[in-house]
Amino acid sequence: MADEKGRKLTQDTVQKATSTNPHLVWLLESMKRKGCFIPDDFYKTKSCPGMDVGAYFDTSEGGVVVCDDKMQTPPFIEAAMIHETIHAFDYCRAHVDPNNCLHVACTEIRAANLSGDCFYGKEFLRGNMFDLDQHHQACVRRRAEISVGMQKHCGEKAADYVDQAWRSCFNDWEPFDNIP
């Protein structure tokens, strides 16, 4: 269970990031331009006992949940928010079907590619340094396969789904002009 200080840090970071993090601001503005509905409580914080994630896009409510019992620092909270907001953007613009494993693979590839999940510093801290020339692609592929594999209906063939979606989804940077 998260302590009160951790909950407050998460809540404050979530509130501040929506107006100060340029990637989040751009994603939210882009979603609005696409006609996506963004409720006032789009970002929520709550305890997520028994879950192996720090944040998730809640497809039933159309918002991002940041787990205040998992996140420890503002940079990690913001990175998780960006990752999950990319999913929200994809669900709005591409009408992702969560039961279609290719759709899931595509949004996971895009989120890993565009969220900063694979920055060298983060990967170094995780102990996942690869060949520097191909590091980013290897990281995106690995993280997408892990995320797709967490979906019960996609799990066994996660690598195959990522392979099938790779070319078009890795090269799809919308709404950014390049990989942030």
Side-chain angles (χ1 to χ4, degrees):
M1 178 174 258
D3 62 16
E4 199 54 41
K5 185 178 177 183
R7 284 186 204 282
K8 178 89 169 102
L9 172 69
T10 302
Q11 291 167 352
D12 291 348
T13 301
V14 166
Q15 183 176 1
K16 181 179 176 187
T18 59
S19 61
T20 61
N21 182 295
H23 296 115
L24 281 173
V25 169
W26 182 251
L27 280 162
L28 292 168
E29 288 174 0
S30 298
M31 288 175 67
K32 288 176 187 172
R33 281 193 302 276
K34 293 271 185 199
C36 306
F37 175 69
I38 302 173
D40 290 339
D41 65 344
F42 183 74
Y43 294 102
K44 302 169 190 71
T45 61
K46 72 176 196 176
S47 180
C48 306
M51 296 181 75
D52 289 333
V53 297
Y56 61 93
F57 174 60
D58 185 343
T59 57
S60 64
E61 294 187 28
V64 173
V65 176
V66 180
C67 301
D68 60 18
D69 56 341
K70 310 281 189 208
M71 305 306 263
Q72 299 167 347
T73 66
F76 281 98
I77 294 166
E78 289 185 28
M81 290 172 68
I82 293 167
H83 180 109
E84 300 307 328
T85 305
I86 290 167
H87 290 317
F89 178 85
D90 287 349
Y91 272 74
C92 173
R93 73 149 186 165
H95 309 291
V96 171
D97 175 358
N99 296 310
N100 182 321
C101 297
L102 284 175
H103 287 197
V104 173
C106 188
T107 192
E108 291 298 348
I109 290 166
R110 285 178 34 76
N113 191 27
L114 301 173
S115 67
D117 285 352
C118 292
F119 287 164
Y120 292 119
K122 288 181 184 176
E123 280 293 274
F124 180 77
L125 291 173
R126 292 182 192 121
N128 293 320
M129 288 307 294
F130 302 102
D131 172 20
L132 291 181
D133 289 339
Q134 296 298 315
H135 163 78
H136 184 77
Q137 289 186 20
C139 173
V140 169
R141 184 177 293 277
R142 177 179 52 79
R143 293 185 64 82
E145 287 176 6
I146 290 168
S147 294
V148 174
M150 291 174 71
Q151 305 297 315
K152 290 178 183 160
H153 61 289
C154 304
E156 290 181 15
K157 296 184 179 180
D160 293 337
Y161 292 121
V162 170
D163 284 342
Q164 290 174 50
W166 182 260
R167 179 179 226 134
S168 63
C169 300
F170 183 79
N171 293 309
D172 178 0
W173 304 334
E174 190 178 358
F176 304 104
D177 293 330
N178 54 35
I179 298 172

